[in-house]
């Protein structure tokens, strides 16, 4: 019998159990704090932001599934056993949701919607004439499964698409690839709308700062749907205020929820969304977890295992 130890400290968590029981017949699904005894037998953890030290108390865990695409909510635990594989979420629902968000926000930035909203708040009738999609250079910062899916969704609209990643990618039609630190500046210089999808690692923390964002063309804009650590927000605001950057849409922050006293809420050039760019959906997530558990039980390598040396 497969046993899953589930942790999600949010209202509505009960919707997950039926989805998992439908995907895995005979499942023993246990929601925290009713995980049972640590010696109850082998189990898999499916969690988001579990209590520090909790997972280490259960020595029979075979793998940990992150409920979302990020894994820093797990790796921040100093007691997390290093020999347990961590599997990143990459189900179809997550990818589809992220692609929808990116298409929506790229279109909004291309059509100057942040400026339109600012004018609306001031009751100002201000006509703007945005460029066509074919004249706009979109840059996807981070080209894993989510980034690739977003690029495929953007292609039919005609944007000039480029992607930057730490390691080389297979050449493809419609996407210009940049790789490594040596090509990062060139990527920024050709990007009018930047879409941040990078994970949180020491190398990506404050990767977008005063120096790097100033490399982008004048009036460029930024969409961050990856991790909040990517951007130095003080530097970004300074570039927005100076007019070098035209707009930003921020879905993720270092501390969430964003403090009510943050000046970001009132900034005319910033749109804030509450970490909803892509939400893990019970039906597709359960199928994804079930397929990976099957691979593990058959002695195969599961998909999307975290490389702890890289942080993704």
């Amino acid at each position: 019998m497969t046993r899953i130890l589930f942790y999600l400290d949010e209202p509505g968590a009960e919707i997950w159990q039926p989805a998992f029981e439908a995907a895995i017949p005979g499942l023993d699904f246990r929601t925290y704090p009713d995980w049972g005894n640590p010696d109850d037998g082998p189990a898999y953890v499916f969690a988001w932001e579990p209590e520090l030290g909790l997972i280490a108390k259960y020595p029979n865990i075979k793998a940990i599934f992150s409920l979302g695409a990020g894994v820093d909510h797990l790796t921040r635990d100093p007691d997390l056993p290093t020999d347990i594989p961590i599997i990143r979420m990459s189900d179809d629902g997550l990818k589809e949701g992220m692609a929808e968000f990116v298409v929506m926000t790229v279109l909004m930035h291309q059509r100057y919607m942040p400026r339109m909203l600012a004018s609306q708040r001031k009751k100002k009738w201000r006509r703007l004439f945005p460029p066509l999609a074919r004249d706009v250079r979109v840059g996807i910062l981070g080209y894993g499964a989510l980034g690739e899916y977003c690029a495929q969704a953007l292609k039919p609209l005609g944007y000039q698409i480029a992607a930057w990643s730490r390691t080389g990618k297979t050449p493809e039609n419609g996407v210009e690839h940049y790789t490594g630190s040596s090509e990062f500046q060139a990527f920024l210089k050709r990007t009018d709308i930047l879409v941040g999808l990078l994970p949180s690692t020491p190398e990506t923390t404050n990767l977008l700062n005063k120096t790097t964002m100033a490399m982008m063309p004048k009036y460029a804009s930024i969409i961050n749907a990856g991790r909040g650590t990517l951007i130095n927000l003080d530097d970004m605001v300074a570039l927005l205020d100076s007019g070098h950057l035209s707009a930003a849409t921020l879905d993720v922050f270092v501390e969430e929820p964003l403090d009510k006293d943050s000046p970001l809420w009132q900034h005319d050039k910033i749109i804030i969304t509450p970490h909803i760019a892509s939400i893990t959906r019970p039906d597709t997530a359960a199928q994804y977890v079930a397929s990976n558990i099957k691979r593990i039980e058959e002695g195969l390598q599961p998909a999307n295992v975290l490389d702890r040396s890289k942080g993704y």
Side-chain angles (χ1 to χ4, degrees):
M1 176 183 291
T2 301
R3 187 161 66 105
I4 287 181
L5 308 180
F6 176 73
Y7 189 106
L8 178 61
D9 188 20
E10 293 181 7
E14 66 277 358
I15 65 175
W16 290 88
Q17 184 166 349
F20 272 83
E21 289 177 341
I24 307 175
L27 174 68
D28 180 8
F29 189 92
R30 304 189 183 186
T31 301
Y32 187 81
D34 299 322
W35 276 15
N37 297 318
D39 58 356
D40 280 349
Y44 298 91
V45 167
F46 183 65
W48 183 257
E49 296 185 344
E51 295 178 4
L52 298 180
L54 175 63
I55 292 175
K57 297 177 181 178
Y58 289 79
N60 295 324
I61 292 172
K62 301 179 71 173
I64 303 167
F65 290 87
S66 173
L67 191 145
V71 295
D72 46 304
H73 67 102
L74 295 167
T75 57
R76 67 188 175 95
D77 186 348
D79 298 321
L80 190 72
T82 58
D83 59 339
I84 301 177
I86 296 174
I87 300 172
R88 297 173 292 132
M89 182 57 60
S90 185
D91 68 300
D92 288 344
L94 192 73
K95 290 184 284 189
E96 290 170 15
M98 182 61 78
E100 290 173 358
F101 181 87
V102 167
V103 169
M104 175 187 73
T105 50
V106 167
L107 278 166
M108 288 177 67
H109 282 234
Q110 173 217 333
R111 297 299 302 256
Y112 298 159
M113 189 56 65
R115 299 184 217 180
M116 299 285 192
L117 292 173
S119 294
Q120 177 184 334
R121 288 191 290 269
K122 297 174 183 177
K123 301 179 182 180
K124 184 177 182 180
W125 188 269
R126 182 188 182 195
R127 300 187 71 190
L128 300 173
F129 298 90
L132 294 172
R134 66 171 182 249
D135 298 320
V136 175
R137 299 168 297 177
V138 175
I140 300 175
L141 185 56
Y143 205 67
L146 291 177
E148 183 177 359
Y149 208 92
C150 291
Q152 299 308 312
L154 288 167
K155 280 182 181 181
L157 296 174
Y159 294 107
Q160 301 173 44
I161 302 171
W164 181 90
S165 51
R166 178 179 174 180
T167 57
K169 304 297 180 183
T170 303
E172 61 182 299
N173 292 330
V175 180
E176 182 181 6
H177 284 283
Y178 293 79
T179 305
S181 58
S182 63
E183 297 182 359
F184 186 53
Q185 182 173 342
F187 167 78
L188 292 175
K189 285 184 173 181
R190 57 78 55 207
T191 296
D192 300 313
I193 302 175
L194 185 146
V195 179
L197 294 175
L198 285 171
S200 180
T201 69
E203 290 76 19
T204 64
T205 297
N206 290 329
L207 181 63
L208 294 182
N209 53 53
K210 183 178 180 180
T211 301
T212 56
M213 287 185 285
M215 296 175 184
M216 299 176 66
K218 190 173 178 62
Y219 307 127
S221 63
I222 293 173
I223 298 162
N224 191 18
R227 307 304 290 168
T229 53
L230 175 66
I231 303 176
N232 182 308
L233 293 177
D234 290 339
D235 290 351
M236 184 196 73
V237 168
L239 289 167
L240 287 169
D241 290 344
S242 73
H244 184 78
L245 295 178
S246 64
T249 294
L250 306 175
D251 184 62
V252 287
F253 302 88
V254 174
E255 297 293 335
E256 296 181 356
L258 182 64
D259 192 287
K260 291 181 179 180
D261 294 328
S262 172
L264 298 177
W265 289 107
Q266 304 299 325
H267 201 290
D268 277 348
K269 296 182 179 180
I270 297 175
I271 293 176
I272 291 172
T273 54
H275 203 150
I276 47 77
S278 186
I279 300 172
T280 307
R281 303 171 190 276
D283 54 348
T284 55
Q287 293 293 337
Y288 175 80
V289 171
S291 66
N292 262 317
I293 288 178
K294 185 174 185 292
R295 291 183 63 84
I296 293 171
E297 297 296 336
E298 292 175 351
L300 302 174
Q301 176 77 355
N304 293 304
V305 176
L306 169 70
D307 184 335
R308 294 184 188 234
S309 66
K310 297 179 180 178
Y312 60 88

